[in-house]
Amino acid sequence: MSLTDFLHGVETVVVDSGPRPIQTVRSSVIGLIGTAPLANEVAFPLDTPVLVNRRQAAAMIGATGSLPQAIDSIYDQGGALIVVVRVADAQTENEQLSKIIGGVDADTGAFTGIHVFRAAEAECGVSPMILIAPGFTHQRPLGVAGHTVTAQGNGYTQATVAFTGGGAGAVLPTAKPIITGGKITGLEFDSLGFGIVSPLTATVTGDGTGATITIQIGASANPVVSELKQLADGFKAHIIADGPSTTDAAAFAYRNDHGTRRVFIVDPTVSGWSVKTSTYALEHSSARVAGLISRVDNEKGFWESPSNKEVYGIGGLGRPIDYAYGDKNSRANILNENEIATFIRDEGWYLWGNRTCSADPKFAFLSVSRTGDMIDISIAKAHRWAVDRSITKQYFEDVTASVKAYMRQLRVRGAILGGDCWVDPEFNTEADISQGHVTFSYDFTPPYPAERVTFRSHLVSDYIRNLFA
């Protein structure tokens, strides 16, 4: 209303300036993908996100496939929100991995496989922050392990490469030739393929001639984890990946396939009670670990490490893991040293290990990485109100006050040691503001887990005098 309008009487003008409270997003929503051939088609349609908030809600999932046991393992740890994606059952492991990976349906344009998680927030109202695919992340199937340019050829300005062979059911790699001075000097791979059981032939075509390439085959990174990484980056989520559960060497090779904070590896498998067979049976441990993280989030907070917390429902391990206090050569310690979490038995079964696969030591600890994500997402989501507002001094004060208040709240709860928010003139120039671009800076320090506790022991004779005091 204009102040120049005539009014004889009383009016009320609503002033909506001031800071807004920031609500922390749900940190422990689990994204679970797998198979359940006997599931109710209406309750659990294929390639569709379905929100499950309690064990009873999964009653129509059936008793076969990977999903029923995974859901049971999660709820053995306590309450959890799960976004369940069911994919069709396949005849071979390679075909099943491809269905889990999915993509976009060529006919309908709908997401399939793990990409269905992209629709979770729109259809279920929550975004998964812990991603698991029990039974489909432990493999290191054969794929491209290397290549040799046996002849560089001449006269190339453009070229493509096609792959043939690999055996029945193989998913072939994709790559682009690298051209230097008219010669083919190598290949840039977009995908290494998987499930390759026979030799691959690479054929280069283009406007030049003479280039030939030999392909070497070997164990490669798990394709489901590799595909999940891009989703995890976008969601600011973490992948709980199952290790191979065979040997230490195999676990170390698996670990070396990844260098991102988004991957947290757990090895070995565990035995849990199967209601289907009425006996203990081996199962992949990622579901129990995801349920544990959800329980710790609910009881302690997202900033608390899940390591050294009891995992419920474990009857044993898929391979022996020895552990002793202070023993640097125990298998548990060696696995942890190589950024692989495991389990130890000491008056119960406990998850043992804090470290992600991060190449950046700043995000080595899972709890630190998740704390940073929760704060970043919460601040971003809480400030949609700040978009398209008029840029004034009051506007800057309102936003910074909101973030400062949130940091104080987190510090009181123990989620951070301290934090601040400010406006840096260097990033808010006249040119920036005239284009509608404003920048706020904030910092915080998360609490770090006490992974190594040292007691310094001194044996002295000083206290003998107390005998005669």
Side-chain angles (χ1 to χ4, degrees):
M1 178 182 292
S2 170
L3 296 179
T4 60
D5 292 342
F6 175 80
L7 173 66
H8 180 188
V10 179
E11 67 176 340
T12 300
V13 177
V14 177
V15 180
D16 68 348
S17 61
R20 270 69 167 176
I22 297 175
Q23 179 72 36
T24 301
V25 298
R26 284 187 175 270
S27 61
S28 57
V29 178
I30 299 169
L32 167 65
I33 187 169
T35 60
L38 300 182
N40 182 289
E41 296 283 350
V42 176
F44 292 94
L46 293 174
D47 294 308
T48 303
V50 177
L51 185 64
V52 174
N53 63 349
R54 62 188 185 280
R55 195 187 294 266
Q56 296 92 319
M60 291 186 284
I61 198 69
T64 62
S66 66
L67 289 176
Q69 184 60 52
I71 292 173
D72 183 70
S73 298
I74 290 170
Y75 283 119
D76 277 353
Q77 313 311 311
L81 274 182
I82 313 174
V83 176
V84 176
V85 175
R86 185 174 75 94
V87 302
D89 212 28
Q91 295 297 315
T92 68
E93 183 176 70
N94 291 344
E95 292 172 334
Q96 193 66 72
L97 290 175
S98 293
K99 289 187 179 297
I100 293 290
I101 292 169
V104 178
D105 187 278
D107 296 325
T108 65
F111 291 125
T112 62
I114 61 175
H115 296 275
V116 173
F117 289 130
R118 299 178 187 274
E121 187 158 22
E123 297 193 27
C124 300
V126 292
S127 180
M129 304 304 295
I130 305 165
L131 301 173
I132 57 173
F136 308 106
T137 60
H138 67 284
Q139 306 93 330
R140 296 187 73 236
L142 293 177
V144 174
H147 69 284
T148 303
V149 179
T150 49
Q152 294 184 337
N154 292 286
Y156 290 97
T157 61
Q158 56 84 26
T160 59
V161 60
F163 298 92
T164 55
V171 176
L172 298 180
T174 57
K176 296 184 286 289
I178 301 171
I179 302 173
T180 307
K183 299 179 182 295
I184 303 297
T185 56
L187 296 178
E188 180 183 349
F189 282 88
D190 299 313
S191 167
L192 297 177
F194 62 90
I196 298 169
V197 295
S198 63
L200 275 181
T201 299
T203 303
V204 178
T205 57
D207 55 1
T209 58
T212 58
I213 298 174
T214 302
I215 302 297
Q216 290 88 45
I217 304 302
S220 58
N222 180 276
V224 174
V225 176
S226 297
E227 192 81 5
L228 278 170
K229 287 178 186 177
Q230 58 174 298
L231 270 73
D233 283 338
F235 296 164
K236 290 186 179 293
H238 287 77
I239 305 159
I240 311 302
D242 292 294
S245 190
T246 51
T247 64
D248 292 345
F252 301 155
Y254 187 105
R255 160 64 187 90
N256 287 330
D257 288 334
H258 310 289
T260 171
R261 61 189 273 206
R262 300 294 168 196
V263 177
F264 183 76
I265 300 172
V266 184
D267 189 277
T269 55
V270 299
S271 69
W273 188 262
S274 171
V275 294
K276 178 183 176 183
T277 61
S278 297
T279 184
Y280 276 106
L282 288 179
E283 62 183 58
H284 298 285
S285 52
S286 56
R288 291 192 184 273
V289 173
L292 170 66
I293 293 173
S294 178
R295 189 182 85 220
V296 172
D297 280 11
N298 293 330
E299 293 179 355
K300 305 279 188 180
F302 58 78
W303 55 91
E304 181 77 11
S305 170
S307 180
N308 200 18
K309 306 297 189 299
E310 187 176 3
V311 185
Y312 303 152
I314 292 181
L317 303 182
R319 68 187 182 103
I321 302 295
D322 63 284
Y323 168 77
Y325 289 105
D327 184 0
K328 296 178 181 178
N329 296 314
S330 67
R331 176 164 285 156
N333 194 70
I334 292 172
L335 289 171
N336 284 181
E337 184 180 357
N338 287 273
E339 291 93 29
I340 300 166
T342 189
F343 303 92
I344 64 169
R345 187 180 186 184
D346 186 3
E347 297 181 347
W349 290 99
Y350 290 80
L351 179 67
W352 197 253
N354 288 291
R355 295 179 179 257
T356 70
C357 293
S358 178
D360 183 353
K362 186 175 182 180
F363 297 104
F365 295 114
L366 177 65
S367 59
V368 170
S369 181
R370 295 186 69 233
T371 297
D373 288 339
M374 290 305 105
I375 292 173
D376 292 344
I377 298 171
S378 300
I379 289 176
K381 284 195 171 187
H383 282 88
R384 188 171 64 84
W385 69 268
V387 177
D388 297 330
R389 293 283 179 132
S390 296
I391 303 172
T392 63
K393 181 180 180 181
Q394 184 65 48
Y395 173 84
F396 282 112
E397 291 175 350
D398 289 348
V399 174
T400 53
S402 296
V403 179
K404 283 175 177 287
Y406 182 54
M407 293 298 183
R408 287 194 298 270
Q409 177 192 23
L410 291 176
R411 182 174 57 79
V412 170
R413 296 173 63 191
I416 61 174
L417 304 182
D420 197 9
C421 179
W422 67 95
V423 177
D424 193 332
E426 182 180 352
F427 297 103
N428 292 279
T429 64
E430 182 179 337
D432 290 327
I433 293 177
S434 65
Q435 292 299 311
H437 182 197
V438 293
T439 300
F440 298 88
S441 301
Y442 63 88
D443 63 13
F444 58 89
T445 301
Y448 289 80
E451 185 179 63
R452 181 170 183 165
V453 179
T454 301
F455 291 96
R456 300 177 66 239
S457 171
H458 300 264
L459 193 156
V460 297
S461 61
D462 301 31
Y463 303 105
I464 293 177
R465 66 177 66 98
N466 292 340
L467 294 171
F468 307 101

